[in-house]
Amino acid sequence: MSNEDLAKQKYLETQLILQQVKQTNQHLEILQNQLVATISLVEHLDDLAKIPKNTKIYTALGPGVFVEAELKNTDRVLLTIGAQTAVYKTVEETKKALTKQTTDIHELMSKISADLQKLTTKSETLQQELRDLIGND
């Protein structure tokens, strides 16, 4: 294989890895947003316990649309568990589930960050090999 062919191959490999790096960074950003939302939700559950029953509140129907409601029960919440299924859980059970979810997200982010570091190292190696090939022509 000629140096030119090898350089083309290294360039294509580098581009592929850089695309993977970009996608991995996007995935990490999504996970970071999920983590922040989950932590925030746990804090909101703590606040819920402090609100007296029958208090008027505004609840979101969608982005920027709210309706006035009356808080009847602060002891349990309806928790979506997937596949269009929701179950009633106590606030403490919900906080426990969310805390586990937070831990799972942290673990996944750590694994993905390690993978990202490997991709970055491989990209740097390929780029150096490409510079060496081009410099030898």
PDB file of all heavy atoms in Angstrom, residues 44 46-55 57 71 74:
ATOM      1  N   HIS A  44     -37.558  18.698  44.581  1.00  0.00           N
ATOM      2  CA  HIS A  44     -38.977  19.081  44.533  1.00  0.00           C
ATOM      3  C   HIS A  44     -39.827  18.161  45.407  1.00  0.00           C
ATOM      4  O   HIS A  44     -40.792  18.611  46.030  1.00  0.00           O
ATOM      5  CB  HIS A  44     -39.497  19.074  43.103  1.00  0.00           C
ATOM      6  CG  HIS A  44     -38.947  20.172  42.244  1.00  0.00           C
ATOM      7  ND1 HIS A  44     -38.913  21.484  42.630  1.00  0.00           N
ATOM      8  CD2 HIS A  44     -38.399  20.128  41.006  1.00  0.00           C
ATOM      9  CE1 HIS A  44     -38.367  22.211  41.670  1.00  0.00           C
ATOM     10  NE2 HIS A  44     -38.039  21.413  40.679  1.00  0.00           N
ATOM     11  N   ASP A  46     -38.814  16.789  48.146  1.00  0.00           N
ATOM     12  CA  ASP A  46     -38.581  17.271  49.516  1.00  0.00           C
ATOM     13  C   ASP A  46     -39.466  18.476  49.806  1.00  0.00           C
ATOM     14  O   ASP A  46     -40.052  18.588  50.887  1.00  0.00           O
ATOM     15  CB  ASP A  46     -37.110  17.637  49.725  1.00  0.00           C
ATOM     16  CG  ASP A  46     -36.206  16.417  49.804  1.00  0.00           C
ATOM     17  OD1 ASP A  46     -36.698  15.332  50.176  1.00  0.00           O
ATOM     18  OD2 ASP A  46     -35.013  16.546  49.478  1.00  0.00           O
ATOM     19  N   ASP A  47     -39.578  19.373  48.837  1.00  0.00           N
ATOM     20  CA  ASP A  47     -40.422  20.566  48.998  1.00  0.00           C
ATOM     21  C   ASP A  47     -41.900  20.199  49.093  1.00  0.00           C
ATOM     22  O   ASP A  47     -42.658  20.846  49.822  1.00  0.00           O
ATOM     23  CB  ASP A  47     -40.213  21.540  47.826  1.00  0.00           C
ATOM     24  CG  ASP A  47     -38.818  22.144  47.813  1.00  0.00           C
ATOM     25  OD1 ASP A  47     -38.140  22.123  48.863  1.00  0.00           O
ATOM     26  OD2 ASP A  47     -38.416  22.625  46.735  1.00  0.00           O
ATOM     27  N   LEU A  48     -42.306  19.159  48.387  1.00  0.00           N
ATOM     28  CA  LEU A  48     -43.699  18.737  48.382  1.00  0.00           C
ATOM     29  C   LEU A  48     -44.185  18.399  49.795  1.00  0.00           C
ATOM     30  O   LEU A  48     -45.316  18.724  50.165  1.00  0.00           O
ATOM     31  CB  LEU A  48     -43.885  17.529  47.453  1.00  0.00           C
ATOM     32  CG  LEU A  48     -45.296  16.969  47.319  1.00  0.00           C
ATOM     33  CD1 LEU A  48     -46.213  18.000  46.653  1.00  0.00           C
ATOM     34  CD2 LEU A  48     -45.274  15.672  46.517  1.00  0.00           C
ATOM     35  N   ALA A  49     -43.327  17.767  50.558  1.00  0.00           N
ATOM     36  CA  ALA A  49     -43.706  17.375  51.920  1.00  0.00           C
ATOM     37  C   ALA A  49     -44.004  18.583  52.807  1.00  0.00           C
ATOM     38  O   ALA A  49     -44.718  18.459  53.803  1.00  0.00           O
ATOM     39  CB  ALA A  49     -42.598  16.536  52.533  1.00  0.00           C
ATOM     40  N   LYS A  50     -43.491  19.729  52.446  1.00  0.00           N
ATOM     41  CA  LYS A  50     -43.676  20.947  53.255  1.00  0.00           C
ATOM     42  C   LYS A  50     -44.946  21.711  52.892  1.00  0.00           C
ATOM     43  O   LYS A  50     -45.319  22.647  53.588  1.00  0.00           O
ATOM     44  CB  LYS A  50     -42.460  21.868  53.077  1.00  0.00           C
ATOM     45  CG  LYS A  50     -41.148  21.239  53.498  1.00  0.00           C
ATOM     46  CD  LYS A  50     -39.976  22.117  53.117  1.00  0.00           C
ATOM     47  CE  LYS A  50     -38.667  21.393  53.303  1.00  0.00           C
ATOM     48  NZ  LYS A  50     -37.553  22.134  52.743  1.00  0.00           N
ATOM     49  N   ILE A  51     -45.621  21.318  51.827  1.00  0.00           N
ATOM     50  CA  ILE A  51     -46.810  22.037  51.366  1.00  0.00           C
ATOM     51  C   ILE A  51     -48.046  21.435  52.038  1.00  0.00           C
ATOM     52  O   ILE A  51     -48.260  20.225  51.966  1.00  0.00           O
ATOM     53  CB  ILE A  51     -46.949  21.954  49.829  1.00  0.00           C
ATOM     54  CG1 ILE A  51     -45.726  22.547  49.140  1.00  0.00           C
ATOM     55  CG2 ILE A  51     -48.223  22.661  49.373  1.00  0.00           C
ATOM     56  CD1 ILE A  51     -45.702  22.352  47.636  1.00  0.00           C
ATOM     57  N   PRO A  52     -48.848  22.269  52.675  1.00  0.00           N
ATOM     58  CA  PRO A  52     -50.059  21.734  53.309  1.00  0.00           C
ATOM     59  C   PRO A  52     -51.060  21.220  52.273  1.00  0.00           C
ATOM     60  O   PRO A  52     -51.126  21.722  51.147  1.00  0.00           O
ATOM     61  CB  PRO A  52     -50.649  22.939  54.052  1.00  0.00           C
ATOM     62  CG  PRO A  52     -49.636  24.018  53.984  1.00  0.00           C
ATOM     63  CD  PRO A  52     -48.665  23.681  52.907  1.00  0.00           C
ATOM     64  N   LYS A  53     -51.835  20.207  52.677  1.00  0.00           N
ATOM     65  CA  LYS A  53     -52.886  19.686  51.801  1.00  0.00           C
ATOM     66  C   LYS A  53     -53.906  20.780  51.533  1.00  0.00           C
ATOM     67  O   LYS A  53     -54.075  21.708  52.311  1.00  0.00           O
ATOM     68  CB  LYS A  53     -53.549  18.476  52.434  1.00  0.00           C
ATOM     69  CG  LYS A  53     -52.639  17.278  52.502  1.00  0.00           C
ATOM     70  CD  LYS A  53     -53.319  16.081  53.124  1.00  0.00           C
ATOM     71  CE  LYS A  53     -52.314  14.936  53.191  1.00  0.00           C
ATOM     72  NZ  LYS A  53     -52.831  13.774  53.849  1.00  0.00           N
ATOM     73  N   ASN A  54     -54.575  20.647  50.403  1.00  0.00           N
ATOM     74  CA  ASN A  54     -55.601  21.590  49.947  1.00  0.00           C
ATOM     75  C   ASN A  54     -55.044  22.964  49.566  1.00  0.00           C
ATOM     76  O   ASN A  54     -55.796  23.917  49.450  1.00  0.00           O
ATOM     77  CB  ASN A  54     -56.734  21.723  50.971  1.00  0.00           C
ATOM     78  CG  ASN A  54     -57.406  20.390  51.227  1.00  0.00           C
ATOM     79  OD1 ASN A  54     -57.643  19.624  50.301  1.00  0.00           O
ATOM     80  ND2 ASN A  54     -57.677  20.093  52.484  1.00  0.00           N
ATOM     81  N   THR A  55     -53.744  23.045  49.362  1.00  0.00           N
ATOM     82  CA  THR A  55     -53.128  24.286  48.906  1.00  0.00           C
ATOM     83  C   THR A  55     -53.350  24.417  47.404  1.00  0.00           C
ATOM     84  O   THR A  55     -53.221  23.439  46.661  1.00  0.00           O
ATOM     85  CB  THR A  55     -51.607  24.280  49.199  1.00  0.00           C
ATOM     86  OG1 THR A  55     -51.419  24.178  50.598  1.00  0.00           O
ATOM     87  CG2 THR A  55     -50.928  25.522  48.665  1.00  0.00           C
ATOM     88  N   ILE A  57     -52.253  25.286  43.815  1.00  0.00           N
ATOM     89  CA  ILE A  57     -50.971  25.318  43.103  1.00  0.00           C
ATOM     90  C   ILE A  57     -51.254  25.470  41.617  1.00  0.00           C
ATOM     91  O   ILE A  57     -52.382  25.321  41.173  1.00  0.00           O
ATOM     92  CB  ILE A  57     -50.139  24.039  43.357  1.00  0.00           C
ATOM     93  CG1 ILE A  57     -50.893  22.797  42.844  1.00  0.00           C
ATOM     94  CG2 ILE A  57     -49.772  23.886  44.819  1.00  0.00           C
ATOM     95  CD1 ILE A  57     -50.072  21.528  42.826  1.00  0.00           C
ATOM     96  N   LEU A  71     -53.917  20.819  45.786  1.00  0.00           N
ATOM     97  CA  LEU A  71     -53.102  19.687  46.191  1.00  0.00           C
ATOM     98  C   LEU A  71     -53.846  18.884  47.261  1.00  0.00           C
ATOM     99  O   LEU A  71     -54.066  19.363  48.362  1.00  0.00           O
ATOM    100  CB  LEU A  71     -51.762  20.195  46.728  1.00  0.00           C
ATOM    101  CG  LEU A  71     -50.670  19.189  46.977  1.00  0.00           C
ATOM    102  CD1 LEU A  71     -50.355  18.414  45.705  1.00  0.00           C
ATOM    103  CD2 LEU A  71     -49.425  19.883  47.470  1.00  0.00           C
ATOM    104  N   THR A  74     -50.108  14.709  49.534  1.00  0.00           N
ATOM    105  CA  THR A  74     -48.663  14.893  49.375  1.00  0.00           C
ATOM    106  C   THR A  74     -47.891  13.667  49.843  1.00  0.00           C
ATOM    107  O   THR A  74     -46.672  13.694  49.914  1.00  0.00           O
ATOM    108  CB  THR A  74     -48.176  16.130  50.154  1.00  0.00           C
ATOM    109  OG1 THR A  74     -48.496  15.951  51.548  1.00  0.00           O
ATOM    110  CG2 THR A  74     -48.787  17.405  49.624  1.00  0.00           C
TER     111      THR A  74
END
